[in-house]
């Protein structure tokens, strides 16, 4: 989007950074099996690489305890077939993914108490942005980057600040974040990410046709998007997480100095240290003496 | 109020062109009566005031006779021609008062209103506001005329409107005219050589402002040395000499009369001021460099009025004024605006006031030392060399996070403590498997893909077709609904009448609630009565809202209308609940009144 057009990198060359949700707890409870999901995604990645010779795909695994790059088409250039069943790129991706899962498992310290914890979405989003920044700085000529999040696990409200920061940094460098939510609930983070960065958010209804969704909605390059109609969200879940308890709230207190969000009234902002005055409602019900205390 | 009726002689005209029937006009609060002097003529009139909608009248000073035009609600009008403007004024004020009160006065003439001493101007302003804003008029009619609110209460919440209207009028001050004083043409009577100049205080003020030397001379000569009349005669004599462009004659006259010479010479005050101003000009501006661009010294160039270019007579240069000087000075004065707010009656007073204001402004100015220092400052600012400057710091206040560790640690601790309910609200999916098991199954599925290869086909054609269908469907739907008109609201889908009714209900409910909540806490019996009135009015709205939903609205929109009506109900409920609670408290406090307000 921001780069100068050239013969080599025309405006329809894309760099797609795909964030794969590999939260084992989610996949063990999902209706779509992980192998099915992978076959849809691998076919989709292949399709993107064949759409344009210069297209580039990077896959980052969003794990439970860690994140890592599992595939980069610019370094894996062998596109021949291996025993006629699968492209080399796919098998190398699967190989890396397997290794990633093993290290991710080793990192987990304790058994979760019967609850699915969210994946490290903020981490993988940051890694994607870092990669894109490196591409931006590689020179004037580079493909147009975009991020595609394939997420199924729930939002982690405790990652709210980190994720929002990543979203705003993506917005600043005009990198759209597309998101496809394959879980059973809804993800406010993904909705906001796509809304803020001008990407597309979609929640497929029929997961058996995931490949079709991916191809129809997320395969088109950024330049062509201006010509086609993509599904628009009916509404965006703008709820935020409070900074104090990491609850998802729809109404709360905002620090007037640094805009930190709190679910209840505090005496002092934990972010910037500003001292708050009396809340209005309290002051109204309080006695006259209290009402006279100056606002700070 | 002054009187309950007005009786005046007037002519009644059916149209503007109509010469009119002479007779007597008598106005009371209820009606307008016109009885012709000649009992046989047809112009008898008996109109009730509630049919009168508004009034227009001719302005004093315009060349029209004093007419009062009363418009009735059938768009007809009654025109009365009065004998003089004071009659018109009296009648106009009377009509204004009656119109502002509307029918209320006639219904309950015994009620006393605290606002009856309103000035006519204020009345007119209110009427004008009502006429301009039909919604306001509706509210006024609904509440003030039905007695729910009094006139004062109604307008008390709209002080801002009134104030704005008033401030609009008084804000702008009249400046100087842009016409130059040199444009005051002398009038000659044609036969004698006498030349007459017409002077008004306005012109005098302008002369003083533009020519400080004349001003100074006036202050020092008049009235000690000469009369005002001689002063101005001398002044115009000088002006006349200028206008004849005869600098030799001017020089000759100046030599004879030293007072006259003051007017003919270059204005020394102006010159010194100009010197000061030049010092304030951007120091990097080289005015000498522009001299080559000046064509006026070439033959056939320059301004004609400048005259027969007497370049040679440099000894008379003293008595010459260039047009550009005049224009510049005039422009400067016009831009400065009028500094004096004195009634333009007495020339002496004007002169003194101007002198005072000048003094003030010159006191404000800096002393010479300041000016030269400022000039140096400016010089260094203007000739700033960018390479040598430090980087400009952005005017941003950095976000100060006191101790980042403090923040992140406390957040972490909080997060851990409450991660249980962190996913608040969303239903948790239980996962009975252990970490090992889940990772194992994940790895298994990877190896299964590895072994099996990609599924063939990846998507079943039927499923793909289904997905594509659903997608296009939803896209075209959202395009139809949202893309068409993003501003479209639910209200626009309702029939026009329902929409208007709903909006009207809203405004009237808001009006009532505003007054209702404003009258708490109830401290006087007046407020008590007011709250009771408001409460009754509010309870009357409920059935109206019901009618609105059950009646006129088509069934498919009923749900949406009820959604819109619900907040109205809630707001009213809250008010009435508060009312009842406070009434109970009241009755509990004062045991004598058993049921509070009943």
């Amino acid at each position: 989007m921001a780069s100068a057009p050239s013969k080599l990198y025309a405006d329809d060359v894309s760099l797609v950074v795909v964030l794969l949700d590999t939260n084992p707890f989610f996949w063990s409870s999902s209706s779509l099996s992980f192998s099915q999901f992978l076959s849809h995604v691998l076919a989709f990645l292949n399709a993107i690489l064949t759409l344009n010779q210069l297209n580039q795909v990077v896959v980052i695994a969003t794990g439970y305890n860690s994140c890592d790059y599992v595939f980069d088409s610019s370094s894996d250039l062998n596109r021949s077939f291996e025993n006629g069943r699968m492209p080399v790129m796919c098998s190398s991706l699967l190989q890396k993914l397997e290794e990633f899962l093993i290290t991710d498992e080793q990192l987990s310290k304790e058994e979760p108490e019967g609850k699915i914890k969210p994946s490290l979405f903020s981490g993988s989003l940051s890694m994607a942005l870092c990669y894109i920044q490196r591409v931006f700085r590689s020179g004037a000529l580079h493909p147009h980057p975009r991020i595609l999040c394939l997420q199924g696990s729930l939002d982690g409200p405790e990652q709210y600040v980190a994720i929002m920061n990543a979203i705003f940094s993506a917005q600043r460098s005009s990198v759209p974040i597309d998101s496809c939510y394959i879980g059973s609930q809804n993800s406010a983070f993904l909705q906001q990410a796509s809304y803020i960065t001008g990407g597309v958010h979609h929640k497929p209804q029929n997961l058996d046709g995931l490949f079709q969704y991916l191809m129809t909605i997320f395969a088109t390059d950024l330049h062509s998007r201006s010509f086609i109609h993509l599904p628009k969200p009916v509404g965006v879940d703008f709820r935020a997480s409070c900074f104090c308890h990491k609850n998802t709230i729809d109404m709360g207190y905002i620090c007037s100095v640094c805009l930190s969000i709190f679910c209840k009234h505090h005496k002092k902002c934990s972010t910037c240290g500003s001292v708050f005055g009396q809340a209005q409602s309290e002051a109204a019900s309080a006695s006259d003496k209290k009402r006279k205390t100056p606002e700070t | 109020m002054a009187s309950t009726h007005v009786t005046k002689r007037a002519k009644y005209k059916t149209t503007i062109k109509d010469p009119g029937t002479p007779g007597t006009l008598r106005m009371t609060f209820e009606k307008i009566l016109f009885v012709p002097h000649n009992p046989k003529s047809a112009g008898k009139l008996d109109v009730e005031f509630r049919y009168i909608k508004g009034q227009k009248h001719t302005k004093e000073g315009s060349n029209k006779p004093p007419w009062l035009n009363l418009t009735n609600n059938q768009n007809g009008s009654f025109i009365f021609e009065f004998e003089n403007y004071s009659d018109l004024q009296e009648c106009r004020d009377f009509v204004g008062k009656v119109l502002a009160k509307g029918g209320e006065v006639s219904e309950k003439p015994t009620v006393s209103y605290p606002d009856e001493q309103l000035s006519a101007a204020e009345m007119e302003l209110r009427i004008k506001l009502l006429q301009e804003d039909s919604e306001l008029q509706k509210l006024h009619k609904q509440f003030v005329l039905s007695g729910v609110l009094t006139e004062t209460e109604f307008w008390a919440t709209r002080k801002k409107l009134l104030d704005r209207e008033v401030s609009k009028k008084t804000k702008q001050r009249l400046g100087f005219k842009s016409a130059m004083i040199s444009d005051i043409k002398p009038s000659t009577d044609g036969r004698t050589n006498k030349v007459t100049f017409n002077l008004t205080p306005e012109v005098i003020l302008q002369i003083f402002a533009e020519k400080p030397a004349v001003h100074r001379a006036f202050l020092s000569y008049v009235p000690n040395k000469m009369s005002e009349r001689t002063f101005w005669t001398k002044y115009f004599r000088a002006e006349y000499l200028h206008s004849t462009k005869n600098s030799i004659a001017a020089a000759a006259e100046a030599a004879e009369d030293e007072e006259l010479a003051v007017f003919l010479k270059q204005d020394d005050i102006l010159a010194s001021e100009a010197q000061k101003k030049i010092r304030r000009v951007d120091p990097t501006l080289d005015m000498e460099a522009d001299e080559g661009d000046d064509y006026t010294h070439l033959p056939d160039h320059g301004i004609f009025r400048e005259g027969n270019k007497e370049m040679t007579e440099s000894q008379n240069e003293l008595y010459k004024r260039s047009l550009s000087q005049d224009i510049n000075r005039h422009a400067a004065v016009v831009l400065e605006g009028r500094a004096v707010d004195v009634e333009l009656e007495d020339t002496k007073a004007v002169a003194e006031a101007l002198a005072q204001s000048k003094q003030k402004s010159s006191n404000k100015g800096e002393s010479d030392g300041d000016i030269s220092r400022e000039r140096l400052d400016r010089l260094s600012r203007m000739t700033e060399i960018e390479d040598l400057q430090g980087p400009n710091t952005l005017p941003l206040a950095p976000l100060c996070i006191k101790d980042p560790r403090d923040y992140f640690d406390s957040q972490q601790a909080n997060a851990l403590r409450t991660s249980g309910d962190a996913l608040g609200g969303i239903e948790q999916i239980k996962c009975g498997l252990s970490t090992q098991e889940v990772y194992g199954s994940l790895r298994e599925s990877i190896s299964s893909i590895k072994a099996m290869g990609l599924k063939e086909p990846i998507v079943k054609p039927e499923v793909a077709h289904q997905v594509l269908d659903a997608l296009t469907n939803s896209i075209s739907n959202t395009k139809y609904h949202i893309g068409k008109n993003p501003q479209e609201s639910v209200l626009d889908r309702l029939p026009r009448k329902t929409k208007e009714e709903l909006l009207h209900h809203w405004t009237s409910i808001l009006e009532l609630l505003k007054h209702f909540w404003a009258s708490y806490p109830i401290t006087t019996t007046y407020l008590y009565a007011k709250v009771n009135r408001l409460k009754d009015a509010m309870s009357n709205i409920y059935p109206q809202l019901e009618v609105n939903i059950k009646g006129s609205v088509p069934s498919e929109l009923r749900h949406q209308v009820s959604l819109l009506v619900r907040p109205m109900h809630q707001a009213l409920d809250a008010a009435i609940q508060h009312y009842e609670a406070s009434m109970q408290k009241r009755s509990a406090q004062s045991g004598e009144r058993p049921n509070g307000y009943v």
Side-chain angles (χ1 to χ4, degrees), chain A residues 84 121 148:
Chain A
F121 178 48
L148 170 61

Side-chain angles (χ1 to χ4, degrees), chain A residues 22 26 34 41-42 50 79 95 130 149 191 269 278 290:
Chain A
T22 60
F26 164 72
F34 190 58
V41 172
L42 286 175
T50 41
R79 294 190 185 181
Q95 186 61 43
C130 287
C149 308
Q191 287 179 26
C269 174
Q278 286 278 300
K290 260 189 183 169

Side-chain angles (χ1 to χ4, degrees), chain A residues 18-23 26-27 37 62-63 117-122 124 148-156 159 163 178-191 201-204 207:
Chain A
V18 181
L19 311 184
L20 277 189
D21 192 354
T22 60
N23 188 334
F26 164 72
W27 285 113
F37 170 73
T62 313
K117 283 226 203 135
S119 317
L120 276 176
F121 178 48
S122 58
S124 60
L148 170 61
C149 308
L150 296 171
Q151 212 196 337
S153 50
L154 292 166
D155 285 341
Q159 297 175 35
I163 288 177
D178 300 332
S179 51
C180 182
Y181 187 71
I182 41 182
S184 50
Q185 313 280 333
N186 230 326
S187 165
F189 287 168
L190 291 187
Q191 287 179 26
H201 174 80
H202 194 76
K203 187 185 177 207
L207 284 179

Side-chain angles (χ1 to χ4, degrees), chain B residues 45-143:
Chain B
L45 200 66
D46 184 353
V47 190
E48 278 190 42
F49 244 121
R50 59 195 160 95
Y51 297 122
I52 301 296
K53 231 173 41 177
Q55 60 167 337
K56 285 181 275 188
H57 59 87
T58 53
K59 291 230 164 49
E60 191 162 5
S62 64
N63 45 11
K64 292 212 182 90
W67 283 347
L68 181 68
N69 186 342
L70 301 175
T71 40
N72 65 15
N73 49 6
Q74 277 112 37
N75 278 330
S77 62
F78 312 108
I79 303 168
F80 299 103
E81 184 179 331
F82 293 94
E83 286 173 336
N84 50 44
Y85 273 103
S86 63
D87 281 1
L88 166 68
Q89 211 132 25
E90 214 170 299
C91 286
R92 189 194 66 198
D93 293 352
F94 186 82
V95 173
K97 276 174 196 160
V98 177
L99 282 187
K101 292 205 194 312
E104 197 183 20
V105 177
S106 53
E107 283 160 27
K108 310 173 198 163
T110 49
V111 185
S112 77
Y113 293 97
D115 62 322
E116 284 189 343
Q117 284 83 34
L118 272 177
S119 70
E122 218 165 311
M123 243 14 190
E124 246 171 81
L125 186 64
R126 288 179 182 186
I127 293 164
K128 191 174 148 244
L129 280 173
L130 285 180
Q131 278 168 349
E132 276 170 3
D133 191 346
S134 64
E135 200 170 276
L136 200 64
Q137 199 174 14
K138 242 192 218 166
L139 281 179
H140 187 264
K141 216 155 126 198
Q142 188 178 349
F143 293 130

Side-chain angles (χ1 to χ4, degrees), chain B residues 103-366:
Chain B
E104 197 183 20
V105 177
S106 53
E107 283 160 27
K108 310 173 198 163
T110 49
V111 185
S112 77
Y113 293 97
D115 62 322
E116 284 189 343
Q117 284 83 34
L118 272 177
S119 70
E122 218 165 311
M123 243 14 190
E124 246 171 81
L125 186 64
R126 288 179 182 186
I127 293 164
K128 191 174 148 244
L129 280 173
L130 285 180
Q131 278 168 349
E132 276 170 3
D133 191 346
S134 64
E135 200 170 276
L136 200 64
Q137 199 174 14
K138 242 192 218 166
L139 281 179
H140 187 264
K141 216 155 126 198
Q142 188 178 349
F143 293 130
V144 178
L145 301 194
S146 63
V148 175
L149 296 171
T150 65
E151 181 85 12
T152 340
E153 284 164 4
F154 184 78
W155 287 108
T157 51
R158 288 183 174 72
K159 275 222 172 71
K160 230 194 250 163
L161 265 181
L162 291 170
D163 289 350
R164 196 171 54 208
E165 207 63 26
V166 168
S167 64
K168 227 190 268 172
K169 276 182 197 156
T170 52
K171 267 271 166 67
Q172 195 165 20
R173 279 198 318 179
L174 206 64
F176 282 117
K177 284 186 192 130
S178 53
M180 304 226 343
I181 37 173
S182 58
D183 293 343
I184 309 168
K185 282 278 177 301
S187 56
T188 48
D189 55 4
R191 283 172 298 168
T192 61
N193 277 337
K194 213 165 127 190
V195 181
T196 319
F197 285 91
N198 281 323
L199 262 187
T200 61
E202 180 83 8
V203 174
I204 290 174
L205 176 61
Q206 202 173 346
I207 289 174
F208 284 159
E210 287 193 21
K211 298 176 181 171
V214 176
H215 184 216
R216 189 183 52 188
F218 183 88
L219 284 177
S220 55
Y221 296 160
V222 180
N224 302 330
K225 214 168 166 185
M226 58 177 89
S227 74
E228 201 179 324
R229 197 178 168 79
T230 15
F231 180 84
W232 290 118
T233 318
K234 269 190 198 294
Y235 171 75
F236 280 112
R237 174 94 192 123
E239 281 299 300
Y240 184 70
L241 282 173
H242 271 301
S243 68
T244 55
K245 303 182 188 82
N246 190 344
S247 55
I248 303 167
E253 294 238 3
E256 278 170 29
D257 189 338
E258 95 183 65
E259 279 104 31
L260 189 67
V262 170
F263 301 131
L264 286 172
K265 270 185 207 149
Q266 301 276 10
D267 200 321
D268 57 329
I269 299 180
L270 274 190
S272 71
E273 250 174 48
Q275 281 296 321
K276 259 188 221 159
K277 270 186 199 155
I278 285 173
R279 256 181 274 153
R280 266 183 247 143
V281 170
D282 181 355
T284 55
L285 180 71
D286 184 2
M287 289 205 274
E288 276 171 23
D290 288 343
E291 225 162 1
D293 299 339
D294 186 10
Y295 294 103
T296 47
H297 59 282
L298 297 174
D300 297 330
H301 279 87
I303 308 158
F304 181 68
R305 188 174 157 175
E306 194 102 38
N308 357 340
K309 307 183 176 55
E310 299 150 285
M311 304 300 290
T312 47
E313 300 165 71
S314 55
Q315 74 271 24
N316 295 329
E317 199 76 345
L318 190 58
Y319 300 110
K320 271 188 7 179
R321 275 195 315 234
S322 69
L323 174 65
S324 49
Q325 270 172 357
D326 279 351
I327 291 180
N328 277 338
R329 178 64 196 158
H330 176 69
V333 168
V334 168
L335 285 181
E336 266 170 26
R338 180 181 302 230
V340 196
D341 279 321
V342 192
E343 286 291 311
L344 296 172
E345 301 274 306
D346 183 19
T347 331
K348 190 82 193 158
V350 169
E352 267 155 14
L354 191 65
Q356 269 176 6
S357 75
K358 279 253 174 82
Q359 194 142 34
K360 257 185 252 157
S361 62
S362 68
N363 282 346
K364 259 186 271 166
E366 320 88 337

Side-chain angles (χ1 to χ4, degrees), chain B residues 499-518:
Chain B
K499 183 186 162 186
E500 272 170 11
E501 266 174 34
L502 276 174
L503 286 177
H504 178 66
H505 276 309
W506 251 129
T507 46
S508 48
I509 287 173
L510 284 183
E511 179 74 22
L512 285 175
L513 287 174
K514 197 156 61 176
H515 285 286
F516 178 81
W517 291 110

Side-chain angles (χ1 to χ4, degrees), chain B residues 411-446:
Chain B
Q411 303 308 334
Q412 198 63 40
N414 277 336
L416 285 178
R417 205 184 319 127
T418 54
S419 63
D421 40 79
L423 303 166
I426 305 170
E427 184 201 333
Q428 303 286 311
I429 304 159
K430 296 272 174 196
C431 178
L433 301 169
S434 71
T435 321
Q436 229 169 3
E437 281 171 316
V438 286
Y439 276 106
S441 75
L442 215 54
R443 278 207 306 277
E444 221 168 80
S445 50
I446 291 175

